[in-house]
Amino acid sequence: MTEQGIARRSTWLRCYFPRPDAGLRLVCFPHAGGSAPFFRAWQQEISESVEVHAVAYPGRAERFTEPLVEDAPAMVAEFAGELEALRDKPIALFGHSMGAFIAYETAQTVGGIAHLFLSGANAPHLRSGFPSLLHPEDEVLVRNITSLGGSASEILADPEIRELVVPALRSDLRLAEGYVDEHSGKLSCPITALLGTDDDRTRLDSVRGWAEYTTGPFALREYQGDHFYLEEHRADLLTELAGTLTG
């Protein structure tokens, strides 16, 4: 199957700009309320040596009519088979916020991952002390989310868009805040954990805790900015990701 065939026929994976000559693939997992197009620019701007695929969660974008999934292992079980079509080249995973937990769960489930990048997320066993972002009132939930920074505040300012987005956002927060690592063994792949220096939802020591989840190398990277530092520092981040993977 060609790369274009993978991009066209896959339910869960979106590759907007296939790179047949790339030496490896980076599969990216969006944050709570996010969708695959968040990584569209990444696919264009990252080094030519890397082909980016973005995970398309159900219940949003072109999968809007599909049921939402609030359990990470259940979600991974649904798309793990599609990753097999990419196995002719090394695969690395990148997940931001909620996406970090799904990326980690994926690495544990499918194995054979070349590198795991976990962004804006405390290690599962070190997440206490943060108030829940969930709230029964939509307006409060939206305020909680927009306080994290990023482009979400602009999107959620539109009442019509907010009405469409909030159900998926609420479902994603249940998944993220309810995630429990039930794997007894550690990964063997390298892990790089990343965070924003002004992110109120992470602590340096809690993010460093991801080191305990692998027997392989561990690195910690900080960027100036809030929870969505990766928007402001996209160019630098993509350079670092490509350098880590191909260096």
Side-chain angles (χ1 to χ4, degrees):
M1 182 183 294
T2 66
E3 281 82 356
Q4 287 148 328
I6 293 169
R8 185 172 56 251
R9 288 199 284 264
S10 175
T11 299
W12 284 86
L13 301 173
R14 300 288 179 268
C15 184
Y16 304 106
F17 301 96
R19 291 178 172 172
D21 296 328
L24 56 88
R25 297 185 169 105
L26 177 64
V27 179
C28 297
F29 297 77
H31 51 279
S35 59
F38 181 84
F39 295 105
R40 188 182 183 93
W42 287 37
Q43 299 190 9
Q44 287 182 293
E45 298 172 10
I46 201 167
S47 165
E48 292 286 340
S49 60
V50 180
E51 181 182 76
V52 174
H53 293 251
V55 176
Y57 302 140
R60 66 215 73 196
E62 67 269 33
R63 302 187 68 188
F64 181 77
T65 60
E66 298 180 39
L68 296 162
V69 180
E70 298 182 358
D71 178 74
M75 183 181 291
V76 172
E78 289 193 31
F79 70 75
E82 293 196 14
L83 289 178
E84 294 305 311
L86 307 181
R87 287 288 193 179
D88 58 315
K89 297 178 181 180
I91 299 175
L93 308 179
F94 177 97
H96 180 64
S97 198
M98 176 194 75
F101 299 121
I102 303 177
Y104 167 75
E105 183 70 24
T106 301
Q108 282 280 17
T109 301
V110 305
I113 297 302
H115 204 110
L116 180 60
F117 297 94
L118 303 170
S119 169
N122 300 303
H125 69 293
L126 296 172
R127 291 189 295 162
S128 60
F130 294 94
S132 173
L133 294 172
L134 279 167
H135 195 278
E137 295 182 16
D138 288 352
E139 292 297 327
V140 177
L141 184 147
V142 167
R143 285 201 300 272
N144 290 342
I145 293 301
T146 55
S147 70
L148 300 178
S151 58
S153 57
E154 299 174 13
I155 297 171
L156 294 172
D158 185 320
E160 293 184 0
I161 295 179
R162 184 166 62 240
E163 185 177 352
L164 295 174
V165 171
V166 164
L169 184 55
R170 188 181 297 281
S171 174
D172 288 352
L173 290 175
R174 291 194 188 101
L175 184 155
E177 295 184 5
Y179 179 71
V180 176
D181 174 27
E182 297 185 347
H183 299 280
S184 58
K186 295 185 178 183
L187 297 170
S188 59
C189 65
I191 289 181
T192 298
L194 310 100
L195 73 156
T197 55
D198 302 318
D199 183 0
D200 293 336
R201 300 298 300 182
T202 59
R203 287 188 299 261
L204 188 61
D205 60 335
S206 296
V207 175
R208 188 180 286 114
W210 283 110
E212 300 179 30
Y213 288 73
T214 184
T215 59
F218 176 80
L220 182 68
R221 299 286 184 266
E222 289 185 271
Y223 284 83
Q224 290 292 324
D226 56 26
H227 191 66
F228 286 97
Y229 74 89
L230 69 174
E231 294 183 342
E232 180 182 357
H233 298 288
R234 186 173 71 210
D236 290 339
L237 177 58
L238 293 180
T239 297
E240 178 168 348
L241 295 179
T244 299
L245 292 172
T246 61

